Amino acid sequence: MDLFRQNEGSFGGDRSNLTLLQKAAGQGDARAQSLLGNLYAEGLDVPQDNALAVTWYRKAAEQGEATAQYNLGNMYTNGHGVPQDYVQAVFWYQKAADQGQINAQYNLGFMLAKGQGVSCDYEQAAFWYRKAAEQGHAKAQSNLGNMYAKGEGLPQDNEQAVAWNRKAAVQGNASAQFNLGNMYNTGKGLRQDYVQAVAWYKKAADQGVAEAQYNLGVMCDSGHGISRDYEQAVSWYRKAAEQGYVAAQANLGNMYARGDGVCQDNEQAVAWYRRAAERGSASAQFNLALAYLNGEGVSQDNKQASDWFRKAADQGVVEAQYNLGVMYGKGLGVAKDEVTACAWYCTAAAQGDRDAATERDFVIKRLTFEQLTEALALAAKLQVQTVRQ
């Protein structure tokens, strides 16, 4: 949402002009009232006072001054000078939007799309995004493109999604640049072109979009659309990882583990795997388990290994499911339990793991009928849990 106040600046300390403005506002001049509201909101030439800003915005808004209506809507959205009230925000955005106020049109579209202060209505959201987009509002153009991409509020249309995101992207909108990169990467709405994907990801990445930084890292890592460059891949993964982007943290761990683009460093690999694993990355959980199992970058610890294998296994990582079968079968980090080992082998085998199927068959030969029945029941439960993740 655009919450920037429409503001035409201060008087640079010229008290005579300020006095004239205050006089005009007091005499009912709507434009003066709106400008005076700006000064109080920003603390320009007068002490900052949101309550007084609201007072003057309201006076101007009630006279139909569109910019004041938009700014009053922002005050209600933010809870500045008044209790936060999305319903009132929508009310004032609507009045300003009906007069063509571009930022109010965008904000009204946003509120309708999110269901804030009004029932969620994608058709109306698209309507107001289009109004603002046609006036050149970059965020509205990008959001309208996204609605075309998803088929929300209007017919799904990848070509229209490309067209509107491109309009926003050339204005420097980072989200649209990222979206356009994705469209070139996947070939949705236009011819697939990895070189163009890299170009647009780079523009978004340079503006700090973590997912674009990650995707650019993947392109450098794989050599798609750009010469393979592990050092650049590491650089972009790191930028995204430091913003908390989980997949980048996991991939950065891989780069340290392999020594691709950086000096090989198991401790750094573990550090990045842990950050990603703790936030739910299944691949990082599996790799962290391997690190504990093998004592690489961390003290060898079968209990920790089994714990992390379990987390990854619960998310469907077949290798983790197989390894849990091994851990239970040998009593590594867990109490030896061939029933549970068999259940995990069954679970991995159900995903097509041939080694797990072989081990399952070996274990089954050692189980009693009652134990096999228990193992199969547990396997069925584990498979259901995995599907639900």
Side-chain angles (χ1 to χ4, degrees):
M1 186 183 300
D2 275 343
L3 298 178
F4 296 106
R5 187 172 294 106
Q6 293 289 109
N7 193 342
E8 297 185 4
S10 74
F11 294 107
D14 189 332
R15 300 299 301 179
S16 61
N17 286 337
L18 176 60
T19 300
L20 289 173
L21 182 70
Q22 290 172 324
K23 181 177 180 180
Q27 291 175 347
D29 185 288
R31 185 62 179 150
Q33 292 169 341
S34 180
L35 290 172
L36 192 56
N38 288 343
L39 296 185
Y40 278 112
E42 298 291 348
L44 299 173
D45 302 318
V46 294
Q48 200 279 335
D49 190 326
N50 283 328
L52 276 175
V54 167
T55 296
W56 288 110
Y57 283 149
R58 192 182 305 279
K59 289 179 182 291
E62 288 173 348
Q63 293 195 68
E65 213 283 326
T67 300
Q69 292 169 340
Y70 162 71
N71 285 336
L72 185 55
N74 280 348
M75 301 300 271
Y76 275 111
T77 297
N78 292 318
H80 290 168
V82 287
Q84 188 178 59
D85 187 332
Y86 289 145
V87 173
Q88 279 293 304
V90 167
F91 175 83
W92 288 109
Y93 287 148
Q94 180 79 61
K95 287 188 174 293
D98 285 339
Q99 295 193 67
Q101 215 285 341
I102 182 173
N103 292 324
Q105 291 172 338
Y106 169 75
N107 282 9
L108 184 56
F110 185 92
M111 303 289 270
L112 285 159
K114 298 296 183 182
Q116 293 180 339
V118 65
S119 297
C120 180
D121 188 329
Y122 288 137
E123 288 188 12
Q124 279 296 299
F127 174 85
W128 286 109
Y129 280 151
R130 188 183 303 279
K131 290 281 190 184
E134 289 173 346
Q135 291 196 68
H137 194 290
K139 289 182 180 179
Q141 292 168 340
S142 179
N143 285 8
L144 183 60
N146 292 342
M147 297 191 83
Y148 270 115
K150 297 174 184 176
E152 292 179 343
L154 30 70
Q156 199 279 336
D157 189 327
N158 285 329
E159 291 184 2
Q160 283 292 308
V162 169
W164 284 108
N165 272 293
R166 191 182 301 279
K167 288 178 184 290
V170 298
Q171 290 196 67
N173 182 272
S175 295
Q177 292 169 343
F178 170 70
N179 291 340
L180 196 54
N182 279 344
M183 292 168 184
Y184 275 112
N185 197 12
T186 59
K188 287 186 176 179
L190 37 61
R191 182 177 60 84
Q192 188 177 53
D193 187 330
Y194 290 139
V195 174
Q196 282 293 309
V198 167
W200 287 108
Y201 283 148
K202 177 68 160 58
K203 290 179 184 292
D206 284 339
Q207 294 198 63
V209 177
E211 194 169 358
Q213 293 168 341
Y214 167 73
N215 284 7
L216 191 54
V218 171
M219 305 294 269
C220 291
D221 199 349
S222 64
H224 285 160
I226 191 171
S227 297
R228 176 172 284 171
D229 187 330
Y230 289 140
E231 289 186 6
Q232 278 296 302
V234 167
S235 175
W236 288 113
Y237 285 149
R238 190 183 305 280
K239 288 179 185 293
E242 289 174 348
Q243 291 196 66
Y245 196 78
V246 174
Q249 293 171 340
N251 280 16
L252 188 55
N254 291 340
M255 303 300 274
Y256 273 110
R258 296 193 302 260
D260 288 340
V262 289
C263 293
Q264 200 278 339
D265 188 329
N266 286 328
E267 290 185 5
Q268 278 293 306
V270 165
W272 286 108
Y273 285 149
R274 189 183 306 282
R275 290 175 69 169
E278 288 175 346
R279 295 185 61 194
S281 168
S283 66
Q285 291 167 347
F286 175 72
N287 286 331
L288 186 57
L290 286 180
Y292 275 112
L293 182 65
N294 298 318
E296 294 177 343
V298 67
S299 298
Q300 202 281 336
D301 189 326
N302 287 332
K303 175 64 167 61
Q304 284 289 317
S306 64
D307 287 347
W308 286 109
F309 278 140
R310 178 59 191 262
K311 291 179 184 294
D314 283 344
Q315 294 199 65
V317 178
V318 66
E319 297 87 351
Q321 294 169 347
Y322 172 83
N323 283 2
L324 270 180
V326 174
M327 303 292 276
Y328 275 101
K330 295 183 177 181
L332 298 175
V334 292
K336 185 173 181 178
D337 184 342
E338 289 202 316
V339 169
T340 303
C342 183
W344 280 113
Y345 285 140
C346 288
T347 302
Q351 291 201 67
D353 190 291
R354 292 182 179 180
D355 290 338
T358 299
E359 293 298 327
R360 172 202 62 196
D361 293 343
F362 283 142
V363 174
I364 284 175
K365 293 176 182 178
R366 299 193 295 270
L367 299 181
T368 65
F369 177 78
E370 291 76 11
Q371 288 174 323
L372 178 57
T373 301
E374 183 183 352
L376 293 176
L378 178 56
K381 181 179 179 181
L382 292 172
Q383 289 170 41
V384 170
Q385 289 176 346
T386 299
V387 169
R388 289 177 178 172
Q389 287 290 328

